[in-house]
């Protein structure tokens, strides 16, 4: 059971928009920054979003992040078949004194 | 360019230890920490620990406390993760990642290719 809760799967058509939620508590998302990772099949995770809504160099602005209270959301617009991957949220948990991840969300682009 | 190159796959007997290396290049090693994350087959990401390469101070996940040790060698820009008393449920891909962890902001921006550790049951 993951500390952060994500939907197991989401799907949308090419060109459409999708959002992935990540729910936590006051000890993690509520007081710390959230990051998001994309993991394509058979590869290492890749940082998409850090500090709630910042994109590393090279990440297109189709990817966005937001946070409100104890929840965070990853948004992806203009979906492409290449976006099919598992997406994970992560943050620091001040009570556990550890990085915690969500269980991951599998994105299918129909 | 930033690169993290990990050591190769390992097969270990239950009760044994494994030590995975992670050689960094393309940046000043002591400017960033190194996190270790593992992923069991078909499962999600599990954070194992983090080390400040500047101070050498580690921080471990409570679930692995006592079985895991993370170290770094600034002379070779290499980080190491040792896991002891291996069990079959330690079978996973182990990743190192360049990490930032301060002021409530903890994330990993570059990842190694992963090292598969197999512990037969």
């Amino acid at each position: 059971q993951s500390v952060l809760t994500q939907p197991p799967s989401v799907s949308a058509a090419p060109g459409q928009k999708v959002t992935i939620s990540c729910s936590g508590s006051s000890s993690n998302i509520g007081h710390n920054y959230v990051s998001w990772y994309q993991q394509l099949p058979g590869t290492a995770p890749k940082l998409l979003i850090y500090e709630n809504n910042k994109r590393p160099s090279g990440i297109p602005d189709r990817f966005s992040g937001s946070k409100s209270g104890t929840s965070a959301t990853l948004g992806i617009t203009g979906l492409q078949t290449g976006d099919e991957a598992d997406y994970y949220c992560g943050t620091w948990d001040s009570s556990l004194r550890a990085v915690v991840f969500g269980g991951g969300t599998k994105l299918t682009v129909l | 360019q930033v690169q993290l190159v990990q050591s190769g796959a390992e097969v270990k007997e239950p009760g044994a230890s494994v030590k995975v290396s992670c050689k960094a290049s393309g940046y000043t090693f002591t400017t960033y920490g190194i996190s270790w994350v593992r992923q069991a087959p078909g499962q999600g990401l599990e954070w194992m620990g983090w080390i400040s390469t500047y101070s050498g101070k580690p921080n471990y996940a409570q679930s692995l406390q006592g079985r895991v040790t993370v170290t770094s060698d600034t002379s070779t820009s290499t980080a190491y993760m040792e896991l002891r008393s291996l069990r079959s449920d330690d079978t996973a891909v182990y990743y190192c990642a360049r990490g930032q962890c301060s002021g409530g902001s903890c994330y990993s921006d570059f990842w190694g290719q992963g090292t598969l550790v197999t512990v037969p049951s």
Side-chain angles (χ1 to χ4, degrees):
Chain A
Q1 198 77 335
S2 302
V3 174
L4 305 180
T5 301
Q6 298 181 233
S9 63
V10 296
S11 62
Q16 297 300 302
K17 174 182 176 178
V18 72
T19 60
I20 298 173
S21 61
C22 176
S23 178
S25 68
S26 59
S27 66
N28 42 67
I29 293 178
H31 283 93
N32 296 301
Y33 291 99
V34 177
S35 54
W36 289 91
Y37 302 88
Q38 176 193 61
Q39 188 176 32
L40 297 169
T43 69
K46 175 183 178 181
L47 180 67
L48 285 181
I49 298 289
Y50 67 101
E51 293 182 356
N52 301 335
N53 54 20
K54 297 177 182 177
R55 282 178 285 107
S57 174
I59 301 299
D61 59 7
R62 299 190 300 110
F63 296 91
S64 64
S66 64
K67 186 184 106 167
S68 178
T70 59
S71 293
T73 301
L74 173 70
I76 311 173
T77 60
L79 278 171
Q80 303 171 1
T81 54
D83 295 332
E84 286 202 333
D86 293 321
Y87 292 83
Y88 295 90
C89 57
T91 187
W92 177 255
D93 190 297
S94 304
S95 295
L96 297 174
R97 296 199 57 76
V99 171
V100 292
F101 290 105
T105 298
K106 183 175 183 60
L107 168 64
T108 301
V109 181
L110 302 168
Chain B
Q1 72 283 18
V2 175
Q3 278 194 306
L4 298 171
V5 179
Q6 299 182 221
S7 48
E10 304 260 17
V11 179
K12 295 290 184 180
E13 290 300 308
S17 298
V18 68
K19 192 169 186 177
V20 179
S21 67
C22 170
K23 183 168 177 60
S25 61
Y27 71 99
T28 301
F29 186 62
T30 52
T31 304
Y32 298 84
I34 294 287
S35 288
W36 289 88
V37 175
R38 69 178 180 177
Q39 186 171 36
Q43 302 302 307
L45 304 176
E46 178 187 8
W47 182 79
M48 301 178 67
W50 180 83
I51 186 166
S52 164
T53 54
Y54 179 79
S55 66
K57 182 180 177 182
N59 184 24
Y60 301 119
Q62 289 180 354
S63 61
L64 293 170
Q65 198 91 22
R67 285 208 301 141
V68 66
T69 300
V70 173
T71 57
S72 65
D73 182 346
T74 57
S75 68
T76 60
S77 299
T78 302
Y80 300 90
M81 185 284 299
E82 181 179 34
L83 188 60
R84 299 176 292 279
S85 302
L86 289 168
R87 311 183 293 243
S88 58
D89 61 358
D90 291 318
T91 294
V93 176
Y94 289 74
Y95 294 103
C96 66
R98 189 177 84 164
Q100 298 262 31
C101 212
S102 66
S105 174
C106 221
Y107 62 92
S108 295
D109 58 357
F110 286 92
W111 294 63
Q113 82 276 19
T115 296
L116 175 61
V117 175
T118 303
V119 185
S121 54

